[in-house]
Amino acid sequence: MSAVIWFFVGFWGTEMVSAAIHRWLMHGPLWFIHQSHHRPGKGFFQYNDVFTLLFGGTGIYLLLQGSSSLNAGFWSGAGISFYGICYFLLHDMLVHRRIRGWVSTRFTYFRALQKAHRAHHKWVDKKPGESYGLFLFSSRYFRR
Ligand SMILES: [Zn+2]
Ligand SMILES: [Zn+2]
């Protein structure tokens, strides 16, 4: 049972922590890195992708350290890694179309998520901004 709880902690913890990092650091002192995501150049990779490596590295480290004991860290690492996969599918594929593929906007929630994150990208400067999280956003994006 605690495996499920730690998985949820990993997943939703990543959403909370990354929203806070996005708001206060990436749109703050680390804007010089994150701006590459708001004003992308032509290449496939963005300087901003270092954040993906940091989150991905944390998830993989937690999975590896607990691969034999299946401890709390392992399950939260699984939650973080699952978050990373969902983030890639919805943020990089659905919203930004970095790789084209089958990610559908048939679902109301996905459509609202897309709207919320596009609202975040309306801003090409550090401040002001909105919708710093990806999966949790204001209910106003559900309105047409
Ligand atoms: Zn941003
Ligand atoms: Zn984005």
Side-chain angles (χ1 to χ4, degrees), residues 22 26-27 31 34 37-38 117 120-121 132:
H22 188 191
M26 292 159 87
H27 283 256
W31 174 249
H34 185 56
H37 182 56
H38 282 264
H117 194 67
H120 177 70
H121 278 279
Y132 291 97

Side-chain angles (χ1 to χ4, degrees), residues 4-29:
V4 178
I5 292 166
W6 284 112
F7 186 90
F8 268 82
V9 168
F11 187 93
W12 291 110
T14 307
E15 171 72 5
M16 312 285 188
V17 169
S18 65
I21 289 176
H22 188 191
R23 183 189 292 260
W24 304 112
L25 294 177
M26 292 159 87
H27 283 256

